[in-house]
Amino acid sequence: MASREIRLASRPSGWPVPENFELVTAEPPALAEGQILVRNLVMSVDPYMRGRMNEGKSYTPPFQVGEPLDGAALGEVVESRAPGLAPGATVTHRYGWREYAVLGAREARVVEEIPGVPLSAYLGPLGMTGLTAYVGLLDIARFQEGEAVFVSGAAGAVGGMAGQIARLKGASRVVGSAGSREKVTHLVRDLGFDAAFDYHDGEIREQLAGAAPGGIDVYFDNVGGDHLEAAIDELRTYGRVAMCGSISSYNATEPVPGPRNLGLAVGKRLTLRGFIVSDHPGRLPDMVAEVGAWLREGKITFAETVVDGLENAPQAFIDMLRGANTGKMLVRLAR
Ligand code: NAP
């Protein structure tokens, strides 16, 4: 049986280009005892994958040149040598970037459809994306009811969830930044943000001060750089930052400078705390229960930008880094 997969052809220097990827047809290995064969239906492209394309030590091992990439995917079990996991089940797992995946049954999470919610939600609000927003806001930034929250990258997958969770948990004000007028409209109209701005439209600090006139208590940082610096200026005493990502520098070829105003953290008694979602699997059931209920009740919504075909996955990944997506960027591999 033939299965197409995307391999890393070479390590990007700066922005990735299509030549860094190759499409290869390979035969999946025969199933060993305890393994399943999954036909992938949809896969996720994520900013963290850019870091794994570099050589060197990080919190996850780098991708290897000549080897298939991996990442979250959702698919249907088509063959099984694992008792208790029969063909027909829908699962998520970490072997995306290929049409068929062979994996241990214990590496798969069986998911059930929620009426009215597409199964792809398990790669977004009910998966790693939702958990990142949930843990970052509630556990890392220790958000409390009545506080004002600023989310950068707010029209992206994690940002859109972080802002909505803050709203549903009783934020006094939720402010978001994003990269286009359409995204700003989406934040206020569809996701219920109180205010939003396009970071291309002028000084971020000034725009943030205008959108959150009383200052902010929590900053959910997806971007780093100039956004982090602006947030430090606008944070109130005892403010907290959940350092989730710094996408503004993922393709930098030189080290980027830190915020010039970090000294303010002392007088304002700020907490800036980084986190990695995979350290918090124990919070998945809480997140799925709470976000799942909000989805069923129509209190939370999410956008997806879907690209068709495995062969278009590298370009979808590159485009996501440039902001082509609203909500989660996904690649559909089969129907
Ligand atoms: P995403 O936000 O859906 O997609 C990336 C977005 O980043 C783009 O759509 C683009 O939107 C924005 N962007 C790109 N360059 C930018 C720049 N220079 N300045 C401002 N915005 C820029 O991706 P995601 O999966 O939800 O991830 C969001 C962040 O969370 C990333 O930093 C990611 O690394 C991080 N993350 C962290 C963890 C963790 O465990 N800590 C887990 C998942 C994700 P615009 O059009 O608005 O520019």
Side-chain angles (χ1 to χ4, degrees):
M1 188 192 72
S3 167
R4 296 185 308 160
E5 62 189 31
I6 303 284
R7 296 184 183 171
L8 185 66
S10 57
R11 299 199 183 280
S13 164
W15 283 88
V17 293
E19 293 70 35
N20 295 132
F21 305 86
E22 62 178 335
L23 179 65
V24 175
T25 301
E27 188 161 336
L31 291 194
E33 195 57 39
Q35 287 188 323
I36 54 175
L37 175 69
V38 178
R39 178 172 169 259
N40 284 336
L41 300 173
V42 58
M43 59 168 260
S44 174
V45 288
D46 295 89
Y48 78 88
M49 294 169 176
R50 176 64 191 85
R52 293 188 66 195
M53 290 171 192
N54 296 334
E55 191 131 40
K57 211 166 164 241
S58 159
Y59 64 92
T60 41
F63 293 129
Q64 296 302 321
V65 173
E67 296 292 323
L69 303 175
D70 60 64
L74 177 136
E76 183 193 355
V77 178
V78 287
E79 240 183 273
S80 174
R81 289 193 61 193
L85 190 41
T90 305
V91 294
T92 59
H93 59 83
R94 62 181 188 84
Y95 298 96
W97 294 92
R98 66 202 77 188
E99 290 172 324
Y100 287 87
V102 171
L103 55 137
R106 276 195 231 132
E107 297 179 280
R109 171 186 172 206
V110 178
V111 296
E112 301 291 339
E113 191 154 7
I114 297 179
V117 180
L119 276 166
S120 54
Y122 286 100
L123 298 180
L126 297 175
M128 193 259 289
T129 295
L131 188 60
T132 304
Y134 192 84
V135 165
L137 184 74
L138 304 180
D139 300 351
I140 306 300
R142 289 176 290 107
F143 165 79
Q144 302 293 318
E145 190 179 336
E147 292 187 323
V149 177
F150 170 45
V151 182
S152 59
V158 171
M161 289 302 293
Q164 292 185 92
I165 295 171
R167 166 171 60 75
L168 287 159
K169 291 274 183 185
S172 58
R173 192 161 181 81
V174 183
V175 172
S177 67
S180 72
R181 183 170 300 185
E182 294 71 34
K183 289 186 181 186
V184 165
T185 303
H186 166 67
L187 291 177
V188 176
R189 185 194 57 204
D190 306 331
L191 304 189
F193 280 60
D194 296 293
F197 61 88
D198 179 347
Y199 61 85
H200 299 104
D201 280 353
E203 271 280 307
I204 296 171
R205 197 193 61 74
E206 277 171 28
Q207 296 204 74
L208 176 56
I216 55 173
D217 302 291
V218 165
Y219 172 43
F220 193 106
D221 188 17
N222 288 315
V223 172
D226 48 6
H227 277 78
L228 178 57
E229 190 169 294
I232 289 172
D233 268 336
E234 296 310 309
L235 276 159
R236 294 176 175 142
T237 309
Y238 296 112
R240 284 95 56 209
V241 180
M243 299 182 71
C244 177
S246 54
I247 196 164
S248 62
S249 62
Y250 288 177
N251 294 300
T253 48
E254 295 292 328
V256 294
R260 290 166 299 180
N261 55 355
L262 194 57
L264 288 177
V266 179
K268 291 192 186 190
R269 291 84 154 171
L270 302 182
T271 304
L272 285 77
R273 189 173 162 202
F275 72 103
I276 293 297
V277 62
S278 52
D279 292 343
H280 303 269
R283 289 288 265 159
L284 187 68
D286 302 334
M287 185 283 286
V288 170
E290 206 158 7
V291 173
W294 286 329
L295 281 170
R296 267 193 298 273
E297 294 161 13
K299 290 183 176 165
I300 210 162
T301 186
F302 63 99
E304 293 178 339
T305 301
V306 183
V307 168
D308 268 306
L310 179 70
E311 64 282 8
N312 296 316
Q315 194 60 50
F317 169 72
I318 296 168
D319 291 346
M320 176 276 299
L321 291 174
R322 292 200 187 277
N325 58 308
T326 298
K328 185 86 198 79
M329 184 63 120
L330 296 171
V331 180
R332 190 184 290 124
L333 305 183
R335 286 178 194 272

